[in-house]
Amino acid sequence: MPRSKNLCLRKSVKNPNRCVKVKGCKVAKGPKRSFCRKSHNKTKRKTAKKAPKRKRRSEVSRLKGHSRKTQRALAKLR
């Protein structure tokens, strides 16, 4: 599969110091910053895993001060 061409690579941005109106294009970092490069959105790739919803402990176990672990062990004994 052929790689797609980077639309903004090495486009001149000397004056003003902005990239061409291409989405995903930004001025390269460096001492001269005279060209554009593709912007990589690293945060978009990472997805946070949602924690599973916890069931509330019963009022009795909360009043007795049982932890979730203790509550599960007591439930297995029943």
Side-chain angles (χ1 to χ4, degrees):
M1 183 174 213
R3 295 175 92 188
S4 60
K5 189 176 185 306
N6 189 350
L7 296 172
C8 59
L9 186 70
R10 300 288 177 192
K11 293 276 191 295
S12 181
V13 289
K14 289 180 182 98
N15 193 9
N17 195 20
R18 262 185 279 133
C19 286
V20 196
K21 287 184 181 176
V22 180
K23 193 180 180 203
C25 190
K26 70 187 226 177
V27 177
K29 281 187 177 178
K32 294 189 178 183
R33 296 183 311 282
S34 59
F35 63 92
C36 283
R37 72 169 179 80
K38 190 175 179 181
S39 62
H40 299 281
N41 188 356
K42 308 252 189 253
T43 56
K44 191 176 179 183
R45 293 181 203 166
K46 295 176 186 174
T47 53
K49 291 182 181 177
K50 284 189 177 181
K53 278 194 171 182
R54 291 182 176 179
K55 290 183 182 177
R56 284 185 67 183
R57 290 184 294 157
S58 68
E59 192 177 358
V60 175
S61 65
R62 273 187 275 133
L63 291 171
K64 286 184 177 178
H66 294 157
S67 66
R68 288 182 198 281
K69 188 177 181 180
T70 312
Q71 186 183 0
R72 275 194 303 259
L74 289 169
K76 282 184 182 178
L77 292 174
R78 289 185 193 157

